[in-house]
Amino acid sequence: MLTTDKAKIDVSLIDEMKKETSIAFVDLKTQQMRIRPQVEARLASVLDHGQYINGPEIEELEKALSDFTGAQDVVLCGNGTEALEFAMMSEGIGAGDAVFIPAFTYNATASAVLMAGAQPVFVDVDASTFNMDPVDLDKKVKAVLDEGRLRAAMVIPVDLFGLPADYSAINEIAVRYDLKILADGAQSFGGRQDGKWVGNIAPMTAVSFFPAKSLGCYGDGGAIFSQSKEKAEIWRSIRWHGTDSTHKTSIRPGTNGRMDSMQAAVVLVKLSIFEDELKQRSRAAALYDACLRGAIDIPERCERSSSGWSLYSIVLDERDRIQQALGQANIPTTIYYQQPLHQMKAFEAFAPKNGLPVSEDLSRRILSLPMHPYLTDDQIHHVCETLIATL
Ligand SMILES: *Cc1c(COP(=O)(O)O)cnc(C)c1O
């Protein structure tokens, strides 16, 4: 009898210990506990009004997002990839066009270019910010112009891991060669540059509300942020089969690209705690910096920008060994990205002859540590101490 009791006590102790030490890579559970009553009320309201598509939540969220960021207009759509596609569509990007994108990003950036019928031209990234290298962009545009086969049409800078790309340098190049700029802000909602929020930095910004992004829904969702109300009206048309405002007659090519009312309801609730969560992400990043400084290279800070901290990523020489050791210590980490885009089968036909050395090197050395607003200081200390012990 005694041994049974003892076993029971031990098991519950282990459970307690696990609770204290288990660290989530992204913690949607704790966030949900915080907002559950508000989410349930918002979802119940959708069930009550029954406008599952184009309910009042859509306009309400579009307005809330443009108020938050200062963007002229915001158009919700089905996901972040569609946001990129719609922006390319309205700019007339298609066959014969070169679209310059970084090679070190999520594959959606490149697949959207192919879906538009255009050709991706891969640009290398900066080794310390992980964002598009403006010097290499200039080189790649010149090469396209020299070759004369494609029209240099658009550049899609990506704000990797939350840090806005170098828009002032990219803008200079875009003006010089008459390139359109479409920002891929799928990872950077909450980031800032020169006093402006992501969504209001570039003329057009694609954002994703995939659940694991910093501002996410409970399904798929996305938005295009715009400096132009006319552009926004075109995207509203494209997302509804190219119809006019009556939705009865089609006036241009379009598709079904709407975000639904339930997803907008969820984002509305999450937006109400977003600034607090952003503060918590910055606190976590600053503590990671303080604990890791001197032991490894910490993520680059830029004077004119602040990151939305969707991810905290470091560069390590023995990345795979260290990741395994952290895994054995129950510390979850992820590799974004194992493979630069120009080495993927779908895009290798567009790989530059001499490769892209920084993107290739980063794919072998990058590692993302747990990052979310609900990491405790103790958990961050634990991650850093464990990491430093493995070096
Ligand atoms: C997530 C992501 C996308 C695509 O967003 P979805 O909503 O998943 O379509 C595009 N670009 C980048 C950089 C992303 O991280």
Side-chain angles (χ1 to χ4, degrees):
M1 284 311 278
L2 249 173
T3 46
T4 324
D5 279 346
K6 200 163 174 248
K8 258 186 197 161
I9 290 164
D10 283 349
V11 167
S12 75
L13 272 178
I14 289 166
D15 274 355
E16 269 313 299
M17 263 170 50
K18 261 199 193 150
K19 238 182 251 161
E20 270 179 35
T21 55
S22 100
I23 297 173
F25 184 74
V26 166
D27 187 357
L28 294 176
K29 260 250 117 75
T30 305
Q31 183 198 48
Q32 191 195 94
M33 273 159 50
R34 177 177 175 189
I35 56 173
R36 179 97 183 205
Q38 292 91 318
V39 170
E40 284 184 358
R42 275 283 187 178
L43 293 178
S45 147
V46 176
L47 292 177
D48 287 344
H49 68 57
Q51 292 178 61
Y52 308 116
I53 298 293
N54 207 29
E57 291 79 11
I58 300 300
E59 215 183 295
E60 185 183 347
L61 179 58
E62 288 180 342
K63 173 85 171 49
L65 289 169
S66 82
D67 286 349
F68 185 92
T69 57
Q72 275 291 309
D73 209 341
V74 178
V75 178
L76 299 179
C77 59
N79 54 65
T81 310
E82 235 168 30
L84 291 167
E85 289 172 6
F86 290 4
M88 278 188 271
M89 234 175 129
S90 69
E91 298 309 302
I93 301 297
D97 287 340
V99 177
F100 301 86
I101 61 173
F104 193 62
T105 172
Y106 185 53
N107 48 23
T109 319
S111 61
V113 174
L114 288 188
M115 293 302 278
Q119 183 172 315
V121 176
F122 293 108
V123 178
D124 213 351
V125 295
D126 180 274
S128 50
T129 65
F130 315 136
N131 281 332
M132 179 181 270
D133 174 5
V135 176
D136 196 47
L137 171 64
D138 189 67
K139 273 191 209 153
K140 294 294 192 293
V141 178
K142 277 193 187 126
V144 163
L145 295 176
D146 284 347
E147 200 198 16
R149 189 172 55 86
L150 299 167
R151 180 178 77 108
M154 178 179 263
V155 54
I156 308 183
V158 178
D159 307 336
L160 207 70
F161 307 145
L163 181 72
D166 187 349
Y167 287 98
S168 55
I170 289 169
N171 189 50
E172 240 175 67
I173 294 165
V175 167
R176 194 178 318 142
Y177 299 110
D178 194 22
L179 302 175
K180 303 264 169 60
I181 301 177
L182 164 61
D184 182 340
Q187 298 182 9
S188 60
F189 191 79
R192 292 171 70 85
Q193 186 161 88
D194 294 332
K196 290 178 180 164
W197 290 102
V198 164
N200 195 28
I201 300 169
M204 304 180 284
T205 305
V207 166
S208 165
F209 302 125
F210 182 81
K213 313 278 183 183
S214 308
L215 179 64
C217 44
Y218 291 149
D220 274 310
I224 329 168
F225 290 66
S226 176
Q227 316 269 30
S228 148
K229 290 212 175 276
E230 287 118 64
K231 284 271 150 64
E233 283 317 309
I234 295 174
W235 299 326
R236 287 196 174 90
S237 167
I238 290 173
R239 76 175 172 193
W240 203 307
H241 303 292
T243 49
D244 66 10
S245 59
T246 69
H247 299 143
K248 293 207 167 75
T249 183
S250 289
I251 53 174
R252 60 169 59 80
T255 184
N256 175 356
R258 297 173 298 244
M259 182 161 152
D260 66 71
S261 311
M262 294 254 186
Q263 299 308 333
V266 172
V267 178
L268 275 164
V269 177
K270 291 201 190 183
L271 186 61
S272 71
I273 58 165
F274 182 79
E275 276 201 272
D276 175 64
E277 288 193 334
L278 185 60
K279 264 191 219 138
Q280 296 303 324
R281 286 179 186 276
S282 301
R283 167 197 56 88
L287 188 54
Y288 269 130
D289 280 1
C291 296
L292 295 174
R293 190 175 283 121
I296 57 161
D297 286 339
I298 57 170
E300 178 91 349
R301 300 308 164 88
C302 306
E303 216 178 281
R304 304 169 65 172
S305 305
S306 58
S307 178
W309 292 116
S310 55
L311 290 164
Y312 187 95
S313 305
I314 54 175
V315 178
L316 297 163
D317 285 333
E318 294 177 79
R319 190 259 322 266
D320 293 347
R321 179 183 65 77
I322 293 167
Q323 182 182 37
Q324 209 175 9
L326 290 173
Q328 273 157 6
N330 275 323
I331 294 171
T333 56
T334 310
I335 297 170
Y336 300 111
Y337 295 92
Q338 292 265 9
Q339 211 181 8
L341 297 186
H342 64 288
Q343 292 182 340
M344 291 185 183
K345 192 167 185 290
F347 315 119
E348 66 189 6
F350 311 111
K353 258 190 238 104
N354 301 321
L356 295 161
V358 181
S359 300
E360 288 159 27
D361 179 58
L362 284 175
S363 68
R364 287 186 288 266
R365 299 203 297 142
I366 198 91
L367 187 71
S368 298
L369 301 179
M371 172 48 89
H372 58 78
Y374 305 98
L375 279 172
T376 64
D377 289 2
D378 282 350
Q379 287 178 323
I380 294 170
H381 282 293
H382 177 63
V383 171
C384 295
E385 278 156 22
T386 313
L387 171 65
I388 289 169
T390 68
L391 293 175

